[in-house]
Amino acid sequence: MVLTPSGLMLLLGMWGIRRQDAIWRDEAVTYDMAHRGLADLWPTLQHVDVVHGLYYVLMHVWFVVYDGTLDGYLGAVIGLRLPSVAAMTAATAGVALLGQRLVGRRAGLLAGVTFALIPVVQQYAQEGRSYAMVCALVVWATYLLVTAAARPRRALWLGYTALMLVACLLHEFAALALPAHGAALVLARLPRGVRRSWLLSAAAVLAGLAPLAIFSVRQSAQVSWLMWPDPVQLLTFAVLAVAGIACARVPVRSRGPIGLRAMGIALLLLPTLLLLLLSHVEPAYVDRYVLYYVTGFALLAGAALARLLRPVGERGQTRGRRLRWTMAVVLVLAALLPVDVHLRSPDSRVDDVTAVAQAVREVARPGDGLLFMPARRRVWAAVEPHQFRGLTDLALAKGPVASHTLYGTERSGDTIRDRMLTARRIVVAGDPDDQPLDGNDQEIAKRTTLRDAFVV
């Protein structure tokens, strides 16, 4: 039962995994940080990106093995994404087992298949970031929670606590799964002992997360780019939420003390709604931060499909009704196919680091000056630094590794202007014209000097 959905997820994860070797900026950061020595990584995390520190360490260990064995055969891009494919395959298996435990074998199978077919799941299965790992850990923690609610054992509670803690250390917003779990337990009206055990586990997770959370507050400027939630992401959540609630209306008999509706709706709605509420205080909503919410939809949809598509003859199920639902599922899959194909194209992400590096190499001449506008776009040089060889980075004071930063440190605005005026040609790697402009001295100096002293 688990092999079919997990095999499907593995197949979908490997389909088009290279995306023509396109890597977007966040993946470039992962690649750069994972290839720094641990002695360099720790000082960097003290200044920036500590929230992803555990993930970078795990990826560092992975690349130590991968670069020495498979890199020559598979390539860096595949190595960057393979852990996410493996994690999402494990998540799919967990969803299938969770659906089986909550409802039954057929519901588990269809829940796992539904989960694998959701486009956003396929998207982050092919991202060199931590979100697939977090999703897998939350799914398996939920499975242990449901199992512990039915048969309370210390080992199960310890396993649940450990998985949730690791998930939270990989990304702090995994903690928003805890209220969903708690709500499901309350709705199930479980014995006081079970609820007390969960409260102890949740408290242990939050206590373990607290040092990281407190320290990361100092680095909150990193997410200052976040504004009001992306409309496309909100629409995706709204569609899944409405569809999930509709599926919850289909009568389904749960097998354990925690009902399918309670767990499914809590996972589907609460993490995202809580993150949206937090965003009213300080913008923080990005759908990948609570990617595991799609687990709730998959569970509800799988159970509903199992009920509606049960074999002909079971309790008066008519062949015509089953055929109509089968056709509806086929039409949904056909509608999703263009989305799935697009997700595997270089244009599916914010930018393409590989394409930028190749474009620089095509137009640059030895001795040309080089500017990144804004400075954080220097990450475009992290994956293929050889494409920028022979160019003089006019603004750079200290490189990313030497300065223990993500993008390096830059000289003062006046110094950048003076260095620009000594160059005859400058290659500028910058954002599109419709992006907001940084207002620091360095970026102002770059823009004004280009405008006053150079011709495009």
Side-chain angles (χ1 to χ4, degrees), residues 374-409:
R376 55 184 173 275
R377 298 299 170 248
R378 192 169 281 105
V379 71
W380 287 338
V383 179
E384 295 187 346
H386 61 278
Q387 301 283 27
F388 298 82
R389 194 168 295 140
L391 304 179
T392 303
D393 192 331
L394 299 172
L396 186 64
K398 266 190 175 183
V401 176
S403 61
H404 302 306
T405 62
L406 294 181
Y407 317 119
T409 56

Side-chain angles (χ1 to χ4, degrees), residues 330-341:
V330 171
L331 289 174
V332 170
L333 294 179
L336 290 178
L337 185 59
V339 179
D340 296 337
V341 172

Side-chain angles (χ1 to χ4, degrees), residues 33-45 53-62 64 404:
M33 295 290 275
H35 281 82
R36 297 188 189 188
L38 293 179
D40 293 318
L41 186 56
W42 173 241
T44 303
L45 295 176
L54 177 58
Y55 175 67
Y56 293 146
V57 171
L58 293 176
M59 290 299 289
H60 174 82
V61 174
W62 160 246
V64 167
H404 302 306

